[in-house]
Amino acid sequence: MAAGAASGGAGARGAMAAGGISPSIVEFFGGEDGYRCGYCRSDTGNLSHGMWAHSMTVQDYQDLIDRGWRRSGKYIYKPIMNQTCCPQYTIRCQALHFQASKSHKKVLKKMLKFISKGDVSKGANEEEPMESHVEGAAACDFAYRSEFRVAQSEVTPLSGDHMERVENEDKDTGEAKEEVNEQKEESRSLQISTDKDTPVPGGPSHSAKIAHAPPKPGKGADLSKPPCRKAKDIRKERKLQKLLQNQACALEGSQHQAGDQRVLSQNSKPKPNQPKALEDFVFVSFPDDAPHKLEVRVVRSSPPSSQFKATFQESYQVYKRYQMVIHKDPPDKPTVHQFTRFLCDSPLEAEDAPNGPDCGYGSFHQQYWLDGKIIAVGVIDILPYCVSSVYLYYDPDYSFLSLGVYSALREIAFTRQLHEKAPDLCFYYMGFYIHSCPKMRYKGQYRPSDLLCPETYVWTPIEQCLPLLEHSKYCRFNPDAEAVDEGRVKELGRVRVLHKRTVMPYSVYKKRRNGPSDEASVQQYASLVGQTCSERMLLFRS
């Protein structure tokens, strides 16, 4: 059925392309029979609606994923949420407000150490199941810019001292906590204030006696020697800060009494170091003699750029090894044809806009080059409001670098980078969040993030959704019980149809149609894509 439709759609598409970007042309299949679920292993429990996209504008696809659709190659599908065995909720991360967690920073530091020093983590592989971010594919059908590269000249260089500070952040944090507590002990002995010290979050209790703590291995501590110079320097710095504070208060005409000033001085502790931004870990330049060199290239996969064509075989070989080692595919399954259909074919039209990203919109492969060879590829779509992650595959020999997590963080940073040129582009879509499958909950760790309500298609903070999902695997997230789908179909007759190379509203097509009525199928299609898309896209009818 799809093959026959492809021939008819392709001819019509050629006729429509003369004016520039082709309109979206789709063939709707309706609800499909259940098929095997990759999450709970149910043989027939995975249920979805599907349609074949012969072409699609990036705006239409943006609107579709905001109604719960996703793509795999040129096939676009939408889970039947209240029937499928494992409900799949569209999830997006608010990239501009993203804060890396401790575990995320650990992965970023691991990569920094590997590149700068050649260090390889000797611990167990801590890879989250982010090895395939989403469930789909990538590539495009129309043209514009051939490639976009994150050049080394664009990154912000860090000094050697900064690099050392990045690598030893956890260690230094622990030492700083000890020094803060030592300062508290000294403050109490001087009776600066009768009030209790403000506790340090996460620090030891006041009853802990730092002076009697056993020396730490490898620190070279010796109880017979005076305290280390570093602690003294910090105490001097803090006393100087207190003095400056008191002087400032006097200059501003403060009327506080001396006792109040001492209490203020004691409680006004210096602000902790601001948390490092994601870019401080990602866009780092290294010296020429660093053991390794990592380069990230963003190449358009459709129409395939010259760089994409030149690296196709190498990229495919990485995919083949990934499928065989990570997903246990037999050697004959990950063929070039399967790779192309799954990850290189895309219905998205390549588009360029004055206020858009320099690379344009459409489908891309983000290639990770380590020491001159591809070790990972992130398949992404760049859309008007987001970077949509489609899939990730990598060389299993580099699993120790947690490339699934690392690439997700790089894609968030890339989203923020694109936002500088395209202000509307500020979200990172991670595909589907599947709460009923514990191994697939990791996407919820990229905060702040939202889940899409499957009934009203409004975004809801994930913190509000999780308690509901604990009670039922299918949930309506919108707290307003009276709310309805604002994008629902109101006028079925305005749905656009492509029939015999002619575009017409459904109201006209219905009168010309011979044979049984297809109104139920068109009604279902329109309700799933929404009124806006149904009036822009062309529903192919044979």
Side-chain angles (χ1 to χ4, degrees):
M1 182 176 180
S7 60
R13 178 180 163 192
M16 300 297 299
I21 298 298
S22 299
S24 302
I25 301 175
V26 299
E27 180 177 6
F28 180 63
F29 296 146
E32 293 193 337
D33 295 334
Y35 55 95
R36 183 174 178 80
C37 176
Y39 307 109
C40 70
R41 306 303 178 186
S42 168
D43 288 333
T44 58
N46 199 339
L47 302 170
S48 68
H49 300 285
M51 57 187 179
W52 182 263
H54 302 285
S55 67
M56 181 158 289
T57 66
V58 291
Q59 184 62 61
D60 284 341
Y61 185 54
Q62 175 74 69
D63 291 344
L64 286 177
I65 63 175
D66 284 337
R67 292 182 65 85
W69 293 84
R70 294 293 294 179
R71 77 175 186 86
S72 177
K74 291 188 174 185
Y75 181 72
I76 301 179
Y77 62 100
K78 184 181 189 300
I80 303 177
M81 297 291 283
N82 59 353
Q83 298 180 34
T84 190
C85 55
C86 297
Q88 303 165 54
Y89 299 91
T90 302
I91 182 171
R92 72 177 186 186
C93 172
Q94 299 177 29
L96 304 188
H97 304 291
F98 172 77
Q99 292 289 337
S101 67
K102 185 176 180 180
S103 64
H104 292 152
K105 290 180 180 179
K106 189 173 182 180
V107 171
L108 293 168
K109 291 176 188 177
K110 179 164 56 176
M111 179 64 81
L112 289 177
K113 286 184 178 182
F114 175 71
I115 296 172
S116 62
K117 297 185 176 181
D119 290 352
V120 177
S121 175
K122 294 183 173 58
N125 180 25
E126 299 175 2
E127 178 74 75
E128 293 181 28
M130 195 74 171
E131 55 203 18
S132 52
H133 301 171
V134 194
E135 298 72 24
C140 212
D141 281 308
F142 263 58
Y144 206 70
R145 293 176 82 94
S146 60
E147 67 182 70
F148 175 77
R149 180 179 299 187
V150 182
Q152 287 292 328
S153 61
E154 297 176 6
V155 303
T156 303
L158 297 180
S159 66
D161 291 341
H162 194 164
M163 177 61 65
E164 189 70 20
R165 196 159 64 249
V166 168
E167 295 175 350
N168 296 302
E169 182 178 280
D170 292 339
K171 179 177 69 176
D172 290 346
T173 301
E175 292 174 355
K177 286 181 180 179
E178 292 182 8
E179 290 158 4
V180 168
N181 281 278
E182 186 177 351
Q183 176 67 19
K184 288 181 182 178
E185 294 292 337
E186 181 183 25
S187 300
R188 280 197 293 272
S189 67
L190 295 175
Q191 297 182 348
I192 293 178
S193 171
T194 57
D195 294 339
K196 292 185 178 180
D197 292 319
T198 303
V200 178
S205 65
H206 291 303
S207 62
K209 302 296 183 182
I210 302 300
H212 300 291
K216 291 186 177 182
K219 295 291 182 181
D222 187 341
L223 297 180
S224 66
K225 294 182 179 180
C228 67
R229 181 75 177 177
K230 187 175 181 181
K232 286 183 177 181
D233 292 340
I234 291 177
R235 288 196 292 272
K236 287 180 180 179
E237 181 182 348
R238 289 180 178 173
K239 288 179 181 178
L240 178 60
Q241 288 175 346
K242 294 174 187 177
L243 179 61
L244 293 174
Q245 265 184 337
N246 291 337
Q247 292 175 347
C249 290
L251 291 173
E252 293 169 2
S254 173
Q255 300 300 317
H256 291 305
Q257 296 297 319
D260 292 335
Q261 288 180 347
R262 285 194 294 270
V263 172
L264 175 63
S265 175
Q266 172 65 17
N267 291 331
S268 59
K269 301 187 180 296
K271 292 182 179 180
N273 292 332
Q274 292 295 321
K276 292 182 177 64
L278 178 61
E279 289 77 5
D280 294 334
F281 293 98
V282 171
F283 300 134
V284 179
S285 62
F286 298 94
D288 293 337
D289 59 351
H292 300 287
K293 180 181 179 182
L294 178 68
E295 183 182 8
V296 179
R297 304 176 188 173
V298 181
V299 299
R300 184 177 286 281
S301 53
S302 177
S305 67
S306 58
Q307 189 173 16
F308 178 83
K309 293 177 181 178
T311 58
F312 179 87
Q313 277 299 326
E314 182 177 355
S315 182
Y316 162 66
Q317 291 300 327
V318 175
Y319 168 76
K320 184 174 182 178
R321 288 203 65 223
Y322 172 79
Q323 292 296 121
M324 291 170 59
V325 176
I326 303 299
H327 292 294
K328 312 302 179 187
D329 283 357
D332 59 341
K333 183 176 180 181
T335 63
V336 171
H337 179 68
Q338 187 253 7
F339 170 67
T340 301
R341 285 188 54 132
F342 179 38
L343 297 176
C344 302
D345 285 347
S346 167
L348 297 186
E349 301 287 349
E351 297 183 27
D352 186 79
N355 60 343
D358 291 336
C359 57
Y361 297 106
S363 297
F364 298 81
H365 280 196
Q366 193 167 43
Q367 302 173 339
Y368 294 78
W369 288 77
L370 181 69
D371 302 332
K373 69 174 184 178
I374 298 175
I375 64 165
V377 176
V379 182
I380 60 173
D381 292 329
I382 299 179
L383 304 174
Y385 308 136
C386 74
V387 169
S388 175
S389 177
V390 179
Y391 201 72
L392 172 88
Y393 56 94
Y394 57 84
D395 186 336
D397 289 345
Y398 294 90
S399 294
F400 65 89
L401 290 174
S402 301
L403 291 170
V405 179
Y406 181 76
S407 62
L409 297 171
R410 288 290 304 228
E411 288 172 5
I412 293 174
F414 183 54
T415 302
R416 287 152 67 139
Q417 189 180 49
L418 296 179
H419 169 76
E420 295 177 6
K421 180 68 186 297
D424 291 338
L425 203 163
C426 53
F427 295 103
Y428 174 60
Y429 283 49
M430 295 176 282
F432 290 132
Y433 174 81
I434 308 171
H435 192 80
S436 57
C437 180
K439 289 184 178 180
M440 296 302 294
R441 295 181 184 179
Y442 64 89
K443 295 178 185 179
Q445 297 172 9
Y446 294 79
R447 304 285 181 94
S449 56
D450 310 302
L451 297 184
L452 186 69
C453 176
E455 296 181 6
T456 61
Y457 305 113
V458 297
W459 293 100
T460 307
I462 193 171
E463 292 84 358
Q464 299 178 24
C465 303
L466 295 181
L468 301 174
L469 292 172
E470 286 295 326
H471 290 88
S472 173
K473 64 181 182 179
Y474 172 74
C475 295
R476 169 195 167 105
F477 298 137
N478 194 327
D480 183 358
E482 303 298 323
V484 296
D485 171 19
E486 295 296 334
R488 67 191 184 279
V489 175
K490 302 176 180 66
E491 297 182 55
L492 187 63
R494 295 176 61 178
V495 173
R496 294 179 80 200
V497 170
L498 176 63
H499 177 59
K500 293 183 178 180
R501 302 170 65 88
T502 303
V503 177
M504 63 189 77
Y506 179 69
S507 58
V508 173
Y509 167 77
K510 184 169 66 171
K511 295 176 181 178
R512 296 183 181 182
R513 175 181 172 82
N514 296 322
S517 171
D518 63 350
E519 185 169 335
S521 174
V522 175
Q523 178 71 51
Q524 185 183 47
Y525 156 79
S527 66
L528 293 169
V529 304
Q531 186 76 39
T532 299
C533 281
S534 71
E535 293 182 22
R536 277 199 315 246
M537 302 194 307
L538 304 181
L539 176 62
F540 179 79
R541 310 309 279 171
S542 57

